[in-house]
Amino acid sequence: MRLDLIPVILATLPVVIVIVPVVLTGTFIYLDSLPEQDEAYPWAATALGVCVSTSAVIQVATLTSATYIVERTMSERKLEVDGLELDTEVEEADEYLNSETQSFYEINSWDKLSRGSKSLLIMALFSMILSVHTVLLFESRCFVEYELTYTITEHLGGNVLNFLKPLGWVAIISFCLSYMCMFAFNHGAKVGVVAGTKSGSQVSQLLYSPYCTEHS
């Protein structure tokens, strides 16, 4: 956007009003969880309650204020906002993306999918269901009990993988399998959309370049 760095830093400084109470909340949660015999901060529980309340009030206030200011600006300066020139390249990319999104759903509707693509989607669905429900229903059988103050060396025998029980491995592997199936399906579907598009090849290359995909 070619903005000056210093004004941007100064303009974003007020964000500390939201960040500081949240960080303090995490700190007091840690202090309050210390073992009773090592407790040196008896006031941590009280401070935690204050920080949680303060964080909630500040976040609600900032969200309400932002909504009000945006609506007021859109109503009072509507003509000025409407008169702003749009970036032609961005507008063209948006239009092409919308048309390509529509083409994506048309080309990849269920009745037009190949047997292999349908198999990938079904496998991804059932793998994710298995992963989620395994963790939700059998959490104690998936993971070893581990607190914030524990250490890997003392409580996991020096190996972080000891955190997982057999069912935990089932959940993790099912999740990874679901992700790989969806990745394979989406990659093939996007390639099919790009190949089937007759116009906008330059925009298509931009939208589906590896850099754009990784940073989207």
Side-chain angles (χ1 to χ4, degrees), residues 76-121:
E76 294 181 356
R77 305 178 64 180
K78 185 176 185 304
L79 295 178
E80 183 179 347
V81 173
D82 293 340
L84 294 175
E85 294 184 2
L86 298 176
D87 191 316
T88 305
E89 293 182 359
V90 174
E91 188 176 11
E92 290 178 355
D94 286 341
E95 291 178 356
Y96 185 78
L97 180 60
N98 291 334
S99 64
E100 212 163 60
T101 300
Q102 183 177 357
S103 300
F104 179 90
Y105 287 109
E106 290 177 354
I107 295 175
N108 296 289
S109 59
W110 183 258
D111 57 329
K112 297 180 181 179
L113 291 178
S114 64
R115 188 171 298 178
S117 296
K118 291 180 179 180
S119 299
L120 285 174
L121 288 177

Side-chain angles (χ1 to χ4, degrees), residues 151-172:
T151 62
I152 296 176
T153 302
E154 181 179 355
H155 297 88
L156 295 179
N159 186 356
V160 68
L161 296 180
N162 291 334
F163 176 68
L164 294 173
K165 294 182 178 180
L167 273 181
W169 282 108
V170 172
I172 296 296

Side-chain angles (χ1 to χ4, degrees), residues 3-197:
L3 299 175
D4 293 333
L5 178 61
I6 301 301
V8 170
I9 294 177
L10 294 176
T12 54
L13 280 179
V15 75
V16 299
I17 299 175
V18 179
I19 293 176
V20 169
V22 176
V23 174
L24 289 176
T25 298
T27 302
F28 292 131
I29 288 176
Y30 168 73
L31 295 178
D32 188 46
S33 67
L34 292 175
E36 295 183 0
Q37 62 270 21
D38 298 333
E39 186 175 359
Y41 307 95
W43 44 265
T46 303
L48 173 60
V50 172
C51 285
V52 169
S53 302
T54 303
S55 299
V57 170
I58 290 177
Q59 291 186 31
V60 170
T62 52
L63 178 60
T64 304
S65 301
T67 303
Y68 169 74
I69 292 173
V70 170
E71 290 182 352
R72 187 184 65 180
T73 302
M74 292 299 295
S75 60
E76 294 181 356
R77 305 178 64 180
K78 185 176 185 304
L79 295 178
E80 183 179 347
V81 173
D82 293 340
L84 294 175
E85 294 184 2
L86 298 176
D87 191 316
T88 305
E89 293 182 359
V90 174
E91 188 176 11
E92 290 178 355
D94 286 341
E95 291 178 356
Y96 185 78
L97 180 60
N98 291 334
S99 64
E100 212 163 60
T101 300
Q102 183 177 357
S103 300
F104 179 90
Y105 287 109
E106 290 177 354
I107 295 175
N108 296 289
S109 59
W110 183 258
D111 57 329
K112 297 180 181 179
L113 291 178
S114 64
R115 188 171 298 178
S117 296
K118 291 180 179 180
S119 299
L120 285 174
L121 288 177
I122 293 173
M123 189 178 299
L125 173 63
F126 281 102
S127 297
M128 186 57 68
I129 291 176
L130 175 62
S131 176
V132 172
H133 283 76
T134 300
V135 174
L136 289 178
L137 300 177
F138 309 103
E139 180 180 1
S140 61
R141 299 182 182 180
C142 291
F143 310 108
V144 175
E145 183 179 352
Y146 194 85
E147 300 292 341
L148 183 64
T149 54
Y150 288 1
T151 62
I152 296 176
T153 302
E154 181 179 355
H155 297 88
L156 295 179
N159 186 356
V160 68
L161 296 180
N162 291 334
F163 176 68
L164 294 173
K165 294 182 178 180
L167 273 181
W169 282 108
V170 172
I172 296 296
I173 293 173
S174 298
F175 178 86
C176 294
L177 177 61
S178 177
Y179 175 82
M180 288 187 293
C181 289
M182 284 303 304
F183 178 83
F185 172 79
N186 285 327
H187 177 73
K190 289 179 180 180
V191 170
V193 172
V194 173
T197 303

Side-chain angles (χ1 to χ4, degrees), residues 198-215:
K198 297 180 180 180
S199 60
S201 59
Q202 293 182 351
V203 181
S204 176
Q205 292 175 3
L206 172 63
L207 292 174
Y208 291 120
S209 64
Y211 179 86
C212 182
T213 303
E214 292 175 0
H215 293 75

